[in-house]
Amino acid sequence: MSGVYSCRSATETLEWIEAIKNFIKPYSFFYEAHVVNFFKDRLWEAVDKEWMDCLRNEPVENLLLIPSGVVQDHWPASLKDFITTLRSLALPREQADLKKVLPDLDIKYLDKVITQGMNRKKQHEVEVLGSIVSSIAKTVGVNSVLDVGAGQGYLAQVLSFQYQLSVIAIDACSHHGSITSARAERIKKHYAAKLHKSRSEDRGFNVPKTITCRVLSTGTLKDLSSSLIGSDDAEKSNSQISFEVFSQGLSDENVTSPSDADGSLILAGLHACGDLSVTMLRTFLECKEVKAVISIGCCYNLLSEDKVQIGDELGFPMSKGVRSSGLLLGKSARDLACQSAERWGSLGKDAGLQNFELHAFRAAFQMVLLQYYPEILVTSPAVGRQGKALRRQQNRRALDSETEVTLSEKQKGPEADLTDVMIQNTSLEPLAEKNTYADNYVIFEKFSQSALGRLGLHGWKEIDLAGSWKKSESFAELVGPYWSLRAALGPVLETILLLDRLLFLQEQGNSLEVLMLPIFDPTLSPRNVAFISWKI
């Protein structure tokens, strides 16, 4: 898979993991740090001074390409070696040639009635994943699918209506179940009307059933899978678990029941969150009814991780090989694994500058908390994303001012939002290059006021915000270089998590067919690696 490393066998996969582990160990100061403490802990001082002196004057466009492994000729050799080695250790993320791997794959364009409400990313994901699930269903001869972590049921409806599979959509949120059911009813009526209009022969519709269940363990999902298979009773429940089946009002003779004659099913999950994605893999192995699994994970920050003992069900590590190596990452590293090199590389200069500035504001606010509210730091306070809202407000004020110069009063009427017109047709200058100290301080002051309000803290008028910002601003230009170097570790940290899951499946021997493929366009869907496995 990588230019240097391979994962065709358990031995090769473990060697790749060990290579990453050994290379990143000296750089633990990056992935163990919290960027909110950039000024408080003077994080830049841990980085090679030659690197920081070089990058502090580097154009932001070049900084944004560092996580993608792009280096510049004039950089120090050690810096170039660091970045290129990280890139060579990371799992390639370019979308695979799926038809080459799965020759029977038939990617169907989705009907408009099914894609209604989907953004471009979601449509791309369910279009590709739906076709893969359908292909695997044919391979293993199974018609029933359990969509785990189904959300609003987009994948479930594609599998049901487009590919005529029998689907049960399971999610922890009852509201999502209601939305799934309502959308399925609208889609069913659309197809029924088309059949009636064309006077085609009436046929049954596969409509996804919805279940609300919080899956907290492999046992829960295993019991749920066993209890549902072969049952025509939509209200059936297992005594060991508690779940609610939503009534869809779709119980007429045109609705088929999601069951297979031989009592088998497939587990599918599109970005099943945290431990749920690894729970699917364990259930696949432990539940005889489950013949195949297609799982794409996300939210590595929510994975369970601790010192492990035999029998522990943790999100990381899963494999015996990684467990025996003693490798642990920690939450900060798992947060970092969620970074997307492709997204950083496509940000653009202005967006990149604004992101770096907002990280500087948050880190400077941490200094305010340290000085005035040190007790609050124990709780690792989250202040939300009001920094982005403040930047948007600032942009709108700047554009409003520009609009008054370029447009007459007659043109400025309540019937048109002229600011929105200007946003669409005006290229903004980089904010960091035209903002003065006073401009940045005004934004920091509003950022701090908003953050204090969110934390329920009062008395900000007695706080010397100007002094806090003055102490931080002289080092603010180092935030961009530091963040970019740190983000370059993200792809290899994610690679460790993915290879651990692959190794877990490889350790089961020759009873499984196992594929690990980047199935989505990474610029649209950064968490694009799917685990596809079926029992032989």
Side-chain angles (χ1 to χ4, degrees):
M1 298 286 292
S2 171
V4 179
Y5 300 94
S6 179
C7 51
R8 291 169 296 187
S9 67
T11 300
E12 290 180 341
T13 301
L14 188 57
E15 287 176 353
W16 191 346
I17 294 170
E18 287 290 336
I20 296 174
K21 174 185 172 183
N22 293 334
F23 182 78
I24 67 174
K25 188 175 182 180
Y27 304 102
S28 61
F29 59 84
F30 272 130
Y31 58 81
E32 291 177 355
H34 297 276
V35 180
V36 295
N37 295 324
F38 184 77
F39 299 122
K40 182 176 81 70
D41 295 340
R42 300 178 69 87
L43 295 180
W44 64 90
E45 293 183 349
V47 187
D48 188 310
K49 187 176 184 300
E50 187 182 20
W51 295 8
M52 295 301 284
D53 286 344
C54 170
L55 296 179
R56 71 191 304 167
N57 298 315
E58 198 67 21
V60 68
E61 301 95 313
N62 292 347
L63 296 180
L64 295 172
L65 291 174
I66 287 176
S68 298
V70 179
V71 300
Q72 308 301 319
D73 291 339
H74 62 276
W75 290 358
S78 59
L79 174 57
K80 291 191 287 187
D81 181 65
F82 170 74
I83 296 169
T84 55
T85 302
L86 285 175
R87 192 61 178 173
S88 71
L89 287 167
L91 183 71
R93 305 308 292 272
E94 295 78 13
Q95 186 176 17
D97 184 348
L98 297 176
K99 290 202 172 187
K100 184 176 181 181
V101 183
L102 302 168
D104 297 331
L105 191 70
D106 179 21
I107 300 179
K108 296 180 179 179
Y109 290 106
L110 303 181
D111 291 343
K112 288 185 178 180
V113 66
I114 295 180
T115 61
Q116 186 176 8
M118 296 185 197
N119 59 24
R120 185 185 174 202
K121 173 180 180 288
K122 185 61 65 179
Q123 183 172 336
H124 169 68
E125 291 170 344
V126 298
E127 190 171 82
V128 173
L129 184 56
S131 66
I132 291 175
V133 174
S134 175
S135 175
I136 299 302
K138 292 175 184 176
T139 298
V140 299
V142 174
N143 193 54
S144 296
V145 179
L146 187 60
D147 181 7
V148 183
Q152 297 187 26
Y154 294 127
L155 175 63
Q157 287 147 12
V158 168
L159 294 174
S160 294
F161 291 104
Q162 199 87 10
Y163 291 98
Q164 287 300 297
L165 294 169
S166 297
V167 184
I168 299 174
I170 174 174
D171 196 85
C173 176
S174 60
H175 179 60
H176 285 166
S178 299
I179 292 174
T180 299
S181 299
R183 287 189 86 250
E185 173 69 10
R186 290 196 300 272
I187 296 169
K188 173 180 175 279
K189 286 181 177 179
H190 169 83
Y191 282 118
K194 282 184 67 176
L195 287 174
H196 180 74
K197 186 175 181 180
S198 64
R199 297 183 179 180
S200 300
E201 181 182 349
D202 196 10
R203 60 179 174 82
F205 292 104
N206 280 332
V207 178
K209 286 183 170 62
T210 57
I211 292 179
T212 296
C213 177
R214 186 172 294 279
V215 177
L216 299 176
S217 68
T218 301
T220 303
L221 187 54
K222 182 180 176 182
D223 290 339
L224 179 59
S225 303
S226 299
S227 71
L228 292 169
I229 272 299
S231 170
D232 292 331
D233 180 7
E235 300 297 332
K236 180 176 180 181
S237 66
N238 187 288
S239 60
Q240 295 177 292
I241 55 178
S242 174
F243 58 90
E244 174 186 356
V245 182
F246 287 95
S247 173
Q248 297 176 309
L250 301 176
S251 57
D252 58 49
E253 66 272 12
N254 287 333
V255 180
T256 61
S257 173
S259 61
D260 251 270
D262 65 348
S264 301
L265 59 75
I266 294 171
L267 292 182
L270 174 56
H271 295 147
C273 196
D275 283 353
L276 190 55
S277 55
V278 296
T279 296
M280 290 174 62
L281 300 181
R282 289 194 175 97
T283 302
F284 163 61
L285 295 180
E286 297 179 16
C287 186
K288 61 182 176 57
E289 292 87 358
V290 180
K291 302 303 181 184
V293 63
I294 300 99
S295 173
I296 302 101
C298 72
C299 304
Y300 306 126
N301 52 308
L302 300 180
L303 287 171
S304 56
E305 178 187 12
D306 205 342
K307 293 181 179 179
V308 295
Q309 298 176 352
I310 300 300
D312 286 347
E313 277 198 8
L314 293 173
F316 177 81
M318 288 190 74
S319 65
K320 293 177 182 177
V322 176
R323 286 183 179 217
S324 62
S325 75
L327 174 63
L328 292 175
L329 295 178
K331 185 178 183 302
S332 182
R334 286 184 280 107
D335 281 338
L336 186 52
C338 296
Q339 289 294 326
S340 165
E342 290 78 15
R343 288 276 175 89
W344 274 101
S346 62
L347 259 188
K349 180 178 180 180
D350 293 340
L353 282 170
Q354 291 182 22
N355 270 277
F356 294 151
E357 288 172 353
L358 293 178
H359 284 298
F361 293 148
R362 179 60 183 88
F365 178 69
Q366 194 81 342
M367 297 289 282
V368 173
L369 294 179
L370 177 66
Q371 183 174 353
Y372 295 94
Y373 304 97
E375 69 284 352
I376 200 76
L377 292 181
V378 178
T379 65
S380 300
V383 300
R385 299 186 177 184
Q386 74 273 13
K388 292 185 178 180
L390 290 171
R391 267 306 188 201
R392 285 194 295 269
Q393 292 171 13
Q394 185 207 33
N395 290 353
R396 292 182 68 90
R397 284 196 300 271
L399 289 169
D400 282 335
S401 175
E402 191 170 347
T403 299
E404 290 178 8
V405 174
T406 58
L407 297 171
S408 70
E409 289 299 323
K410 184 177 180 179
Q411 290 173 298
K412 292 187 292 181
E415 66 276 7
D417 188 341
L418 299 178
T419 303
D420 287 342
V421 174
M422 292 297 294
I423 288 175
Q424 295 172 10
N425 294 287
T426 303
S427 176
L428 291 177
E429 290 298 318
L431 293 174
E433 291 183 6
K434 70 179 183 180
N435 279 2
T436 63
Y437 166 83
D439 292 329
N440 282 325
Y441 170 66
V442 168
I443 301 171
F444 172 67
E445 183 181 53
K446 291 183 178 180
F447 180 102
S448 299
Q449 291 172 17
S450 177
L452 289 168
R454 287 188 176 225
L455 296 173
L457 303 173
H458 305 287
W460 67 267
K461 291 182 179 179
E462 286 74 41
I463 298 175
D464 182 14
L465 292 175
S468 296
W469 178 244
K470 189 172 183 179
K471 291 177 184 176
S472 303
E473 194 188 37
S474 58
F475 300 105
E477 66 177 357
L478 300 177
V479 170
Y482 181 87
W483 181 267
S484 300
L485 289 172
R486 186 174 182 270
L489 284 156
V492 296
L493 292 169
E494 183 182 19
T495 297
I496 288 177
L497 295 168
L498 295 173
L499 291 178
D500 172 57
R501 297 176 189 187
L502 176 64
L503 182 58
F504 169 75
L505 293 172
Q506 291 174 329
E507 288 172 344
Q508 310 310 313
N510 297 323
S511 60
L512 305 177
E513 187 73 38
V514 181
L515 300 173
M516 181 178 68
L517 294 173
I519 64 172
F520 304 137
D521 178 346
T523 59
L524 284 175
S525 183
R527 305 279 80 79
N528 71 341
V529 175
F531 289 90
I532 305 168
S533 185
W534 60 93
K535 295 170 182 173
I536 301 174

